[in-house]
Amino acid sequence: MNEIIYKRKSVRKFENSELSQAAVEKIQSIVNNAQPLYPDVFYSIEIVKSNGSIPYFFAFCGENLENIGFVGQQISLVLADMGIGSYWKMGKPEGEIKSSYPFVISMPFGKPDEPLFRSQNEFKRKSLSEISEGTDDRLEAARLAPSGLNAQDWYFIAENGSIHCYRKKPNFLLSAMKNKLNCIDMGIALCHIAEESSNFKYEKITSHPDKKGYIYMGTVNG
């Protein structure tokens, strides 16, 4: 079990101080060794140094949004275990991004100037009955995952050791923003499920249940 999942919080206040060169090199190694959701997709993660109130950013670039969420949340969990805070942020970071892939989202990080962890009863999340059906111990880890606007626009159906994953259909006015956010959020939730899985495998299947008002994304096996 990854205990960080059950106590991490999004940190938005940082000390205005630099990390040591050793810490930056360790973080770069964490980035290099992160496991993608889809091994054959192209993406990049740059560490961007800022002169503003937030000292460092990750700039995530690529075309598969689920993959960005999956990889980025892995990094965020490891950073928290190192004592470094982070949070997901829409909009480009201050500083130059060199990637040839399209920019997706950023993640400010640094030494926290607020508590890095919280107790599980301090999470403001929907209940499992609101976002899932069926029984699987990994659903609690998915429930605690961060999401855009804390909306938790996902749904999970657990059956026979598998978890079918869905995102909520957005209304027309919010479709552009929500389609992006919900796909990133699904990747974040899948990261938490993967951390709690002994043999994680994610794929689209044809024999999944339908869920009214939701879009099927894929199924976790293992």
Side-chain angles (χ1 to χ4, degrees):
M1 183 177 74
N2 189 332
E3 295 181 355
I4 299 297
I5 288 173
Y6 301 89
K7 62 182 183 179
R8 67 159 297 282
K9 66 185 291 287
S10 297
V11 171
R12 292 178 169 82
K13 294 180 181 180
F14 303 94
E15 295 180 6
N16 190 15
S17 60
E18 294 191 3
L19 298 170
S20 68
Q21 183 60 33
V24 172
E25 290 175 359
K26 183 175 181 179
I27 291 168
Q28 185 62 63
S29 177
I30 291 165
V31 169
N32 295 343
N33 289 292
Q35 297 298 308
L37 181 61
Y38 301 109
D40 57 346
V41 302
F42 295 101
Y43 69 97
S44 68
I45 306 170
E46 294 181 37
I47 297 176
V48 180
K49 184 76 168 61
S50 169
N51 294 321
S53 58
I54 301 173
Y56 302 92
F57 290 81
F58 292 115
F60 295 92
C61 302
E63 295 184 347
N64 188 288
L65 302 178
E66 293 166 81
N67 186 68
I68 293 296
F70 188 84
V71 173
Q73 189 63 11
Q74 279 181 65
I75 295 168
S76 180
L77 292 174
V78 179
L79 290 187
D81 197 36
M82 289 175 58
I84 296 173
S86 64
Y87 73 100
W88 290 96
K89 178 181 174 62
M90 297 297 290
K92 289 187 176 182
E94 303 169 14
E96 181 185 3
I97 300 174
K98 300 176 182 178
S99 177
S100 59
Y101 304 127
F103 172 80
V104 176
I105 197 168
S106 65
M107 179 183 288
F109 69 95
K111 296 178 182 178
D113 198 23
E114 62 175 303
L116 183 60
F117 299 121
R118 57 184 159 185
S119 62
Q120 198 164 337
N121 62 11
E122 292 179 296
F123 280 84
K124 295 180 180 179
R125 298 289 192 269
K126 295 177 182 178
S127 65
L128 275 178
S129 62
E130 292 176 281
I131 63 165
S132 66
E133 56 191 83
T135 302
D136 192 298
D137 291 342
R138 295 170 292 178
L139 292 176
E140 177 64 8
R143 187 183 76 87
L144 297 179
S147 59
L149 307 176
N150 203 25
Q152 294 181 272
D153 285 337
W154 45 48
Y155 199 85
F156 307 98
I157 298 178
E159 61 174 11
N160 302 321
S162 297
I163 302 175
H164 307 292
C165 306
Y166 307 78
R167 64 181 177 91
K168 191 174 183 179
K169 289 181 180 177
N171 64 47
F172 178 76
L173 292 176
L174 296 175
S175 60
M177 179 184 71
K178 281 290 189 177
N179 280 327
K180 178 179 180 178
L181 281 177
N182 289 354
C183 288
I184 296 171
D185 292 345
M186 179 56 69
I188 294 171
L190 285 168
C191 171
H192 280 203
I193 293 173
E195 291 287 330
E196 301 297 272
S197 299
S198 58
N199 184 25
F200 177 83
K201 182 180 179 181
Y202 180 68
E203 59 186 344
K204 292 185 183 296
I205 63 174
T206 57
S207 57
H208 61 82
D210 291 327
K211 177 63 180 175
K212 186 177 180 181
Y214 288 79
I215 300 168
Y216 171 72
M217 299 292 287
T219 296
V220 174
N221 292 300

